Amino acid sequence: MNRYISWERRTLPVHRLLVRTLAAGTLFVLVLAGCARTTEPVVVDDLLLGTYVRIAVHGGTTERPLLDAAMDRVAEVERKMSVSTADYEETELLRVNRAAGQEPIPVSEETLEVVKAALAYSEATGGAFNVAVEPLVSLWGIGTDDERVPSELEIEATLPLVDYSAVVVDGDAGSLYLPEEGMGLDVGGIAKGYAADEAAAILRDGGVTSALLDFGGNILVIGEKPDGSAWRVGIQRPDAERAAYLGILSIRDATVVTSGPYERFFVQDEVRYHHILDSQTGFPAAAGLEQVTIVAERSIDADALSTACFVLGLGRATELIEARPGVEAIFVDTEGRVFLTSGIGTDFELTDANYTLSD
Ligand code: ADP
Ligand code: MG
């Protein structure tokens, strides 16, 4: 397994990090540079949580140790919650997964918090987001050396293990327990969002007033641009070969998270198999969407919701988002139609004539 790819920090030149990350197809939200840039931001970057992580501070405190502390926080989240056996011999969640069917495992408060949030989203989305998806993720191995299309029999044998409702959280003991051998937790659909929120909290507490955090498809902005205008985030066209955007979102103090089948996939017999799995069918989700973008205040919410909406498809995804104040979405279907939830208003501007706005 090699889902969370990580290298020793700051030992690889950035261009190599970029090449590897782009090869993995994970950079899909473009941040548009402003024209009136007065000062260069202070930047740290690294490969963490399976993506290229870049923190750029534009205003307020710009001390390097503060940026490093924010990046260290992201690394800490990875060290605790990764389930990549290629990168880690042991993490808290690897321990929990290995003890499935045997015993509860005590974990840190924050791992418990992320798993609890992931469980709440699993329930709220009827399992479209499913934190217990790990056995399926392992079976398909998408993005690893072992990726392959499993047999129907293998899928049938795995589906009963993907049962988030069986996960036992003991808040008093601070432990997690998976009652069946073979069960496993995977927070790959939510941990990047959590880590972005945590890094942003460190920066804000340290006095940062303007910053851009780019975790591959997860963007989080603090404040506005130094010139007082909104950050402009380009939403990439889902046909990943082109580094072009289909529209622009203007945001302040918000997060934008995109999920799509073009991020991580393999092709066999001309069929594309991608990394967002539908735990009802055991196959990559195919609900008619090609891209989901969520705008929200907290990145943990946007991350879980983008994955969930992708599995749910347009109708149910729209209901899910409309029921949540402060959360908006942009959906692109497989026909190139773009759908906006009701609160987006003028914050989104469609710029590519190959796409059409629908309602
Ligand atoms: P990315 O991490 O590429 O930005 P997502 O946030 O959509 O994309 O998360 C996809 C990851 O979440 C997968 O790589 C896998 O680890 C996990 N995952 C796959 N299917 C599901 C699902 N139905 N529910 C929750 N997590 C999932
Ligand atoms: Mg997600």
Side-chain angles (χ1 to χ4, degrees):
M1 290 208 294
N2 191 24
R3 253 164 303 125
Y4 282 171
I5 311 151
S6 75
W7 283 267
E8 198 57 34
R9 286 188 52 197
R10 297 185 191 96
T11 53
L12 276 180
V14 168
H15 69 273
R16 275 192 57 202
L17 299 184
L18 258 177
V19 167
R20 302 196 76 150
T21 308
L22 286 171
T26 51
L27 195 74
F28 46 86
V29 175
L30 317 166
V31 176
L32 310 177
C35 40
R37 219 202 267 153
T38 43
T39 51
E40 286 296 316
V42 181
V43 176
V44 291
D45 53 19
D46 208 340
L47 257 195
L48 289 167
L49 300 173
T51 197
Y52 176 63
V53 174
R54 182 176 186 273
I55 299 176
V57 172
H58 292 253
T61 315
T62 54
E63 283 154 25
R64 180 66 193 242
L66 181 63
L67 275 78
D68 283 340
M71 191 64 95
D72 286 344
R73 190 74 189 88
V74 181
E76 187 185 358
V77 170
E78 181 188 81
R79 273 197 313 276
K80 285 180 173 162
M81 302 180 205
S82 169
V83 289
S84 166
T85 48
D87 296 326
Y88 290 96
E89 267 170 39
E90 190 152 279
T91 66
E92 293 183 0
L93 287 188
L94 276 173
R95 236 176 287 151
V96 171
N97 291 354
R98 284 176 182 143
Q102 295 163 34
E103 57 179 348
I105 298 292
V107 296
S108 63
E109 229 170 88
E110 67 171 330
T111 298
L112 205 65
E113 183 191 333
V114 172
V115 170
K116 275 160 82 175
L119 279 168
Y121 273 113
S122 303
E123 269 154 35
T125 63
F129 183 93
N130 192 330
V131 67
V133 76
E134 191 277 336
L136 261 188
V137 173
S138 289
L139 184 64
W140 284 86
I142 293 167
T144 75
D145 296 341
D146 307 321
E147 57 193 16
R148 69 187 176 92
V149 181
S151 70
E152 289 288 342
L153 264 177
E154 286 174 305
I155 287 179
E156 261 170 50
T158 305
L159 284 181
L161 296 170
V162 184
D163 180 6
Y164 64 86
S165 68
V167 177
V168 181
V169 179
D170 184 334
D172 296 330
S175 67
L176 293 168
Y177 177 51
L178 306 175
E180 291 292 328
E181 194 186 332
M183 283 183 74
L185 301 174
D186 180 332
V187 294
I190 194 170
K192 255 196 289 178
Y194 174 75
D197 291 333
E198 288 293 299
I202 288 175
L203 296 175
R204 283 196 177 101
D205 289 349
V208 168
T209 54
S210 172
L212 176 75
L213 287 72
D214 182 350
F215 290 34
N218 297 40
I219 299 283
L220 185 154
V221 300
I222 296 178
E224 50 195 16
K225 288 204 290 189
D227 66 5
S229 64
W231 298 97
R232 286 157 57 81
V233 179
I235 307 302
Q236 188 172 328
R237 285 177 58 146
D239 41 359
E241 282 96 299
R242 303 161 198 244
Y245 52 89
L246 60 88
I248 299 168
L249 248 177
S250 298
I251 51 165
R252 293 177 163 88
D253 269 319
T255 184
V256 178
V257 176
T258 299
S259 281
Y262 49 85
E263 294 162 27
R264 223 165 281 190
F265 63 87
F266 69 95
V267 177
Q268 186 174 307
D269 298 331
E270 287 167 41
V271 180
R272 176 184 64 180
Y273 298 96
H274 64 83
H275 75 317
I276 302 175
L277 301 170
D278 182 338
S279 54
Q280 299 273 315
T281 64
F283 275 77
L289 291 176
E290 192 62 15
Q291 185 185 61
V292 173
T293 299
I294 306 288
V295 192
E297 196 180 317
R298 296 197 320 161
S299 210
I300 187 172
D301 299 322
D303 197 355
L305 288 169
S306 69
T307 308
C309 286
F310 188 82
V311 175
L312 288 171
L314 183 64
R316 289 166 68 204
T318 304
E319 279 171 32
L320 181 72
I321 300 304
E322 292 291 7
R324 288 170 188 261
V327 182
E328 302 298 335
I330 302 164
F331 304 112
V332 182
D333 73 5
T334 46
E335 313 285 299
R337 287 178 297 202
V338 179
F339 301 83
L340 309 177
T341 54
S342 56
I344 280 226
T346 53
D347 293 345
F348 178 73
E349 185 195 340
L350 186 69
T351 53
D352 187 326
N354 291 300
Y355 293 82
T356 52
L357 220 46
S358 303
D359 44 23

